[in-house]
Amino acid sequence: MEANSFDPELIRAVFRLVWRKQATGREKSQLPDNEPEAGASTSKKSRLTFANANALKLSCELLRLFVTEGIQRAGTIAEAEGSSKIEATHLERVLPQLLLDF
Amino acid sequence: MESNVEHGEEGEESVIELFRDRFRLCTISIAEAEAKQNGMEISPLIVACVSDLAFKYARQMAKDVELFARHAGRKSVNMEDVILCAHRNDNLTAMLRSFSNDVKAKEPLSDKQKKRKKIPQSDDKAAADLIHS
């Protein structure tokens, strides 16, 4: 059985939230002030990015790897110190390299 | 206009919080499974930290894949864009690429493959006609 992973629908929703915000930011910086709202919303829809199903699956996998890698690396530190519980100090030590790798 | 924007922002904040909570639920199960595999216990604080980090990473990923897709002249994000996100680490790129190959392999037969299967049948039919005639 494969390990648990993120819900693709959740990832899709998060992505869409970010893309909608990005699109709004682009609209504000490009359009003149007197552009009617109806026009702005239709152009937003036509420019809005979307992801295909496989890309979502892959994104879930990437996020799952992020979590797994973080826990594993922190666990290695904890083990090296002889502790059986992974604590904040262990995570702190692996965080810089984790963020550089992802 | 301004009040709409404010309401919009407040609404967005609550939606973000909802997503953050759902992220935590997913992370809890992944993290606990991972820790169990290594025979270790994990503190709930770590799970919350890793979850919030993953959430931030997901939001950054959204921006990155959108930029990659647009750079390639596309409006839709595909697997290559996601693989590009992992370019900082070669091992990670390799893992993602092999996962993407698995996903492609598990896909139901595409139209092209269906057509390929049909052609031998029509050849058989043509051969059968020749024999009968």
Side-chain angles (χ1 to χ4, degrees), chain A residues 2-7 9-11 13-23 26 28 37 45-59 61-76 78-79 83-91 95 98-102, chain B residues 1 4-5 9 12-13 15-16 18-19 22-23 26-27 29-31 33-35 37-47 49-51 53-55 57-63 65-66 69-70 74-80 82-83 85-86 88-89 92 95-97 99-100 103-104 106-107:
Chain A
E2 254 189 54
N4 306 312
S5 188
F6 285 91
D7 177 14
E9 284 311 311
L10 173 61
I11 306 302
V14 173
F15 279 9
R16 282 177 65 177
L17 185 70
V18 174
W19 292 335
R20 222 174 284 149
K21 197 170 187 185
Q22 296 289 90
R26 278 195 294 268
K28 283 185 182 159
E37 261 201 37
K45 279 180 190 169
S46 67
R47 287 188 213 166
L48 205 55
T49 317
F50 56 94
N52 74 22
N54 285 345
L56 282 177
K57 282 185 199 166
L58 209 56
S59 307
E61 179 63 12
L62 185 49
L63 286 165
R64 188 192 70 83
L65 285 171
F66 180 80
V67 172
T68 319
E69 206 44 39
I71 303 293
Q72 251 186 31
R73 291 184 188 185
T76 311
E79 231 174 314
S83 163
S84 66
K85 189 165 184 183
I86 307 176
E87 303 273 13
T89 51
H90 307 137
L91 186 63
L95 214 47
L98 184 70
L99 294 176
L100 280 171
D101 282 335
F102 272 84
Chain B
M1 272 296 286
N4 281 348
V5 170
E9 281 178 6
E12 198 186 291
E13 278 306 310
V15 168
I16 290 177
L18 176 69
F19 287 158
R22 287 176 65 183
F23 241 76
C26 293
T27 312
S29 60
I30 299 174
E34 189 59 32
Q37 232 182 24
N38 300 341
M40 306 214 76
E41 259 182 69
I42 186 156
S43 97
L45 180 64
I46 300 293
V47 180
C49 274
V50 174
S51 167
L53 272 172
F55 188 53
Y57 182 59
R59 289 161 78 182
Q60 190 58 45
M61 209 198 296
K63 287 188 197 164
V65 293
E66 185 181 39
R70 278 168 182 268
R74 283 181 274 110
K75 253 188 257 171
S76 80
V77 171
N78 64 18
M79 288 204 279
E80 280 306 312
V82 182
I83 293 178
C85 283
R88 288 200 181 106
N89 184 305
L92 191 59
M95 287 170 83
L96 276 185
R97 201 170 283 285
F99 187 85
S100 79
V103 168
K104 270 188 238 170
K106 282 182 197 168
E107 263 177 2

